[in-house]
Amino acid sequence: MSHLDQEKQEQKSMMIALVLVIGVLMGFNWFFPSRSEKVEAYVSMLEPVSANSESRVAIEQKAQQVTPQNQELKNVTVPLKNDFVSGSLSAAGTQFDSLSLLQYRETTAENSPYVSLLNKGFLTQLNWTSSDAHFPNTSMAPQVSGNELTPFTPIVLTWTNGLVTVERTVALDDAYLFRVTDKITNHGTEPVQATLNGQIIRKKDTIPTKATSVHEGFLGFFDNREVEEKYTDIEDDEPFSTVNKGGWIGITDKYWQAVFVPDQSMTSDMSFLKKGEDYIASFVSKPETIRPGETLIKTTSLFAGAKELQLLNQYTDAGIPRFDLSIDFGWYYFLTKPFLYFLGFLYSLVGNMGVAILIFATLLRIALLPIATKSYESMAKMKKIQPKIKALQEKFKDNKQQLQLEMMNLYKRDKVNPASGCLPLLIQIPVFFALYKVLSVSILMRQAPFFGWITDLSVPDPSSVFTAFGYLPWPIPSVLNIGVWPVLMGLTMVIQQRLNPSPSTDENQKIIMNMMPVIFTFMLGNFAAGLVIYWTWSNILSIAQQKYIMKKVGV
């Protein structure tokens, strides 16, 4: 007898023996119902059931009789760590319920705790669900292979019941990205269907209460466009929902975010919703069919970390579409992003974010020199003819129509265009707003020191002129808590006003315009110190430039 014939004979004998054992056990259980059924379960798990020996009904009956392996296991919490994050992963449901950012601390105080991104009030879950009763419950405890999740040691989670096996490999890169690769194998004789459900859940009481100029709330990329929704825009009965292939979805703060990136080949229902005190960003894939003997492989990514532009660009290059839009660049994206790059470059050169802002403002002023020069020349000429304008105003104070006619003739004779000073300023408005956005969204500003009492450029100037910088400890309203830099900024605005021609002949309007520096001083007193420093330095450069042009024109 050949080796092949012998192997076939052995397989036939094994099959006959298996059928006889099952028959004996079923008969024994029929006559002795009090006998434990665990023996049958154990036997049915030893070898795959032949498709020719039993019907699908018998297979399903056995699957229901088998005690799923994961029900006998206790949940395991796996620690995770690299140079950027530290935390833990709950194996049941693959729930990331603890994650601290090791590059960032809560405050500037020494030994301040690290920023806690994921916790009991802000967590993520990832599960497969199926209407097939014999599909493993991935929300329960799996078999776990691996003791710690690091960039060098992924962990493997396995759920199985003999008919379907879900093998999940969780890997961590060198920064903030987790890759979850699922292999679902159908050992049965009929197709099974399953859907993947990812949820990012945030409790209402963990949401920052202080409003910022940067978007915080729901965030996603669907249909090749970014979608932003504030928490207050989503009510219990008014969720946001869309069907999308690929893309990503999550919840963002000013500097951090948690985002699920489904397998880009999957079509999913993407939703922002509110349930009671929970805000939920979720995706639910369309049902995936796994045929008998086939294995389905899908990879889902979770980004949980800081919104650092260079890093987000790397993930975009790696296949996450337009991931740089996680940063709220605003309307002037074409300016804001290059500005953010350049500011980061300057910071890498000088090592002080405040100094980088001063250099940036200087270089920007040089770049806009032709436009600003034209504007200041027009203002200087207007300043020069102010005595003539006042004389006309006195002469024709009772005849407004004649006054306007005489002023137009004056502008024509002296070759002055009042509007020419405004147009260059209008051109600079997008530049100003783009830079304002850069200084608002850049994580480089967070807890970045300048000099002296400015230890964090992302928060208001902590000094207070109305308490003599703390030497007069009397209680004052918050509106009067104005620091040195806002006062300096207000003074530079006063000087600029004195250099410019009067914009109006109306005395009430003049009073309002004269009050503007004071209003801006109190308004910007609560702005980030980095913004106020930029504005103050920019005003100083403008004053120097304007004085030079006025001298040149002869004013």
Side-chain angles (χ1 to χ4, degrees), residues 207 216-218 229-235 238 274 279:
I207 297 173
E216 295 183 289
F218 295 107
E229 295 286 347
K230 296 179 180 177
Y231 293 112
T232 53
D233 293 338
I234 304 298
E235 300 296 334
E238 296 181 6
K274 181 177 181 288
Y279 292 93

Side-chain angles (χ1 to χ4, degrees), residues 84-85 96 99 101 104 117-118 122 124 171-173 175-180 200 219 248-252 255-262 300-316 320 323 326-327 443:
F84 285 72
V85 296
F96 291 87
L99 193 75
L101 309 183
Y104 302 94
L117 178 59
L118 299 181
F122 191 7
T124 70
L172 172 62
D173 74 355
Y176 303 115
L177 196 71
F178 300 86
R179 293 200 181 275
V180 182
I200 299 173
L219 182 69
W248 42 269
I249 188 169
I251 294 177
T252 183
Y255 296 123
W256 348 101
Q257 66 180 3
V259 170
F260 266 130
V261 185
T300 306
S301 297
L302 170 68
F303 176 93
K307 297 191 290 186
E308 301 169 7
L309 180 57
Q310 297 281 5
L311 197 58
L312 296 178
N313 282 332
Q314 291 178 22
Y315 289 136
T316 299
I320 303 179
F323 206 44
S326 300
I327 298 176
I443 198 171

Side-chain angles (χ1 to χ4, degrees), residues 136-253:
N137 185 353
T138 59
S139 67
M140 300 188 69
Q143 293 178 322
V144 179
S145 175
N147 298 320
E148 184 180 24
L149 176 58
T150 73
F152 309 101
T153 56
I155 62 168
V156 179
L157 313 177
T158 305
W159 296 266
T160 185
N161 59 10
L163 293 179
V164 177
T165 298
V166 179
E167 182 183 282
R168 169 169 290 174
T169 302
V170 184
L172 172 62
D173 74 355
D174 293 330
Y176 303 115
L177 196 71
F178 300 86
R179 293 200 181 275
V180 182
T181 303
D182 290 319
K183 294 173 63 178
I184 305 177
T185 303
N186 184 358
H187 304 291
T189 61
E190 294 292 335
V192 294
Q193 285 190 330
T195 61
L196 182 60
N197 182 7
Q199 291 187 323
I200 299 173
I201 306 168
R202 185 162 206 178
K203 299 289 183 183
K204 186 176 181 179
D205 58 7
T206 68
I207 297 173
T209 56
K210 186 176 180 180
T212 67
S213 60
V214 179
H215 171 70
E216 295 183 289
F218 295 107
L219 182 69
F221 187 77
F222 320 127
D223 302 321
N224 292 317
R225 67 186 181 94
E226 183 188 33
V227 177
E228 296 177 344
E229 295 286 347
K230 296 179 180 177
Y231 293 112
T232 53
D233 293 338
I234 304 298
E235 300 296 334
D236 291 321
D237 55 346
E238 296 181 6
F240 169 89
S241 182
T242 187
V243 177
N244 185 73
K245 183 176 182 180
W248 42 269
I249 188 169
I251 294 177
T252 183
D253 283 344

Side-chain angles (χ1 to χ4, degrees), residues 253-544:
D253 283 344
K254 183 177 182 179
Y255 296 123
W256 348 101
Q257 66 180 3
V259 170
F260 266 130
V261 185
D263 194 300
Q264 296 301 289
S265 66
M266 290 172 53
T267 299
S268 306
D269 292 320
M270 304 282 202
S271 301
F272 304 142
L273 63 152
K274 181 177 181 288
K275 288 185 178 180
E277 297 296 303
D278 294 345
Y279 292 93
I280 304 172
S282 73
F283 74 91
V284 180
S285 72
K286 293 301 181 184
E288 299 283 348
T289 301
I290 307 101
R291 303 184 185 282
E294 290 186 349
T295 298
L296 175 74
I297 301 177
K298 293 293 180 182
T299 298
T300 306
S301 297
L302 170 68
F303 176 93
K307 297 191 290 186
E308 301 169 7
L309 180 57
Q310 297 281 5
L311 197 58
L312 296 178
N313 282 332
Q314 291 178 22
Y315 289 136
T316 299
D317 295 339
I320 303 179
R322 298 308 306 275
F323 206 44
D324 61 317
L325 295 181
S326 300
I327 298 176
D328 183 11
F329 287 112
W331 293 348
Y332 302 107
Y333 171 88
F334 63 96
L335 289 174
T336 310
K337 187 174 180 180
F339 283 0
L340 188 54
Y341 267 126
F342 190 56
L343 190 62
F345 170 72
L346 292 175
Y347 174 64
S348 68
L349 292 180
V350 299
N352 184 296
M353 194 62 192
V355 175
I357 291 172
L358 299 182
I359 295 174
F360 187 93
T362 304
L363 295 176
L364 188 61
R365 180 63 57 181
I366 293 173
L368 296 175
L369 191 61
I371 296 175
T373 299
K374 183 166 183 167
S375 175
Y376 293 143
E377 284 178 348
S378 177
M379 290 181 182
K381 290 178 180 179
M382 284 291 295
K383 184 84 171 178
K384 189 174 184 178
I385 64 173
Q386 281 296 299
K388 296 180 182 180
I389 293 176
K390 286 184 178 180
L392 291 175
Q393 290 171 348
E394 286 293 326
K395 185 176 181 179
F396 300 103
K397 60 182 177 180
D398 297 325
N399 189 340
K400 299 294 183 183
Q401 186 174 357
Q402 186 64 32
L403 175 62
Q404 293 297 324
L405 180 62
E406 293 295 330
M407 288 182 66
M408 291 300 295
N409 291 332
L410 175 63
Y411 294 150
K412 186 180 294 186
R413 286 195 306 270
D414 288 67
K415 297 180 180 181
V416 175
N417 183 359
S420 64
C422 300
L423 183 60
L425 292 177
L426 292 176
I427 295 174
Q428 295 180 67
I429 287 177
V431 175
F432 168 76
F433 278 110
L435 187 57
Y436 168 80
K437 198 69 172 178
V438 166
L439 298 180
S440 298
V441 304
S442 175
I443 198 171
L444 297 175
M445 289 270 288
R446 185 182 184 272
Q447 297 182 1
F450 184 42
F451 294 115
W453 64 93
I454 303 297
T455 58
D456 186 349
L457 289 166
S458 67
V459 301
D461 186 336
S463 63
S464 177
V465 296
F466 287 97
T467 63
F469 315 114
Y471 288 102
L472 299 175
W474 53 43
I476 60 172
S478 59
V479 69
L480 295 179
N481 196 22
I482 305 300
V484 174
W485 278 101
V487 172
L488 291 175
M489 190 271 313
L491 291 175
T492 59
M493 289 187 69
V494 171
I495 296 172
Q496 278 187 303
Q497 277 195 345
R498 297 293 182 267
L499 294 176
N500 295 333
S502 177
S504 174
T505 60
D506 186 89
E507 290 300 321
N508 291 327
Q509 291 187 22
K510 286 182 179 179
I511 293 173
I512 294 174
M513 291 303 296
N514 289 334
M515 288 295 295
M516 289 304 292
V518 178
I519 295 172
F520 268 77
T521 297
F522 284 94
M523 185 176 71
L524 293 180
N526 292 316
F527 275 46
L531 286 169
V532 180
I533 290 171
Y534 160 76
W535 203 327
T536 305
W537 180 243
S538 183
N539 286 349
I540 292 172
L541 294 176
S542 297
I543 291 168

Side-chain angles (χ1 to χ4, degrees), residues 53-65:
S53 61
E54 294 181 298
S55 67
R56 183 172 184 271
V57 175
I59 293 173
E60 290 182 348
Q61 288 176 347
K62 282 187 182 174
Q64 293 171 3
Q65 292 170 357

